Amino acid sequence: MKILIVDDEPINRLLLLNMLTTEGYDDCIEAENGTQAIEKFKSEAPDLILLDVVMPDMSGFDVVPQLRKLASAEYLPILFITALEDKASLVKCLEVGGNDFATKPFDKHILIAKIRAHLKIRTLNLRVEQQNKALLLFNQRVAREHAIVEHIFNNAIVNDPQVLSYFNYYIKPA
């Protein structure tokens, strides 16, 4: 699973990168600001985003709605990593489209547990999407076959008395 780390402080990115690689998440990419995050999202298609709130060019609050538009209906977990601790800011993390948050300094075990949980949800969501597509194709095929069979039966036996005399059939309730 690919994880995008977005933070303007190099030390924070390094800390998160080391923590993630230690836990087996080797496919991590970094962005220094909101603009880079959007570009990296377009080019790399990450499975999860760890996003700082306070950054110089665009705040995390401004980045999330744009990422949501790009992700369309796909479930994309976005976890805010923030030094903000006031309730209003933490609530805003969720209101703008974030899925979760961790306040700095964060507990490594809790953050990893949250990341695992959100990645599992993403995996399950992707599986459901694939199954829905397969089910839709199956339903379309059944409907097409049903239409063909109905056409054959409607046109194979013409309601001509001369033709019908060759067939024995019974009409009774099922």
Side-chain angles (χ1 to χ4, degrees), residues 136-153:
L136 178 64
L137 291 174
F138 176 77
N139 284 339
Q140 289 173 342
R141 190 176 83 218
V142 167
R144 186 175 57 242
E145 290 172 358
H146 179 66
I148 291 169
V149 169
E150 188 174 325
H151 175 76
I152 291 169
F153 279 114

Side-chain angles (χ1 to χ4, degrees), residues 143-170:
R144 186 175 57 242
E145 290 172 358
H146 179 66
I148 291 169
V149 169
E150 188 174 325
H151 175 76
I152 291 169
F153 279 114
N154 287 338
N155 296 311
I157 302 175
V158 182
N159 287 329
D160 181 3
Q162 198 173 27
V163 174
L164 290 175
S165 66
Y166 293 104
F167 294 96
N168 290 330
Y169 60 91
Y170 298 98

Side-chain angles (χ1 to χ4, degrees), residues 51-53 60-61 64 78-82 93-94 96 98 100-102:
L51 180 63
D52 187 19
V53 173
F61 296 144
V64 171
I78 300 175
L79 282 70
F80 280 102
I81 308 292
T82 180
C93 288
L94 302 174
V96 298
D100 209 338
F101 56 82

Side-chain angles (χ1 to χ4, degrees), residues 40-66:
K40 295 274 185 174
F41 178 79
K42 290 176 184 176
S43 64
E44 300 286 338
D47 297 295
L48 182 136
I49 299 173
L50 299 175
L51 180 63
D52 187 19
V53 173
V54 181
M55 294 183 289
D57 70 333
M58 293 174 72
S59 76
F61 296 144
D62 297 327
V63 174
V64 171
Q66 293 184 41

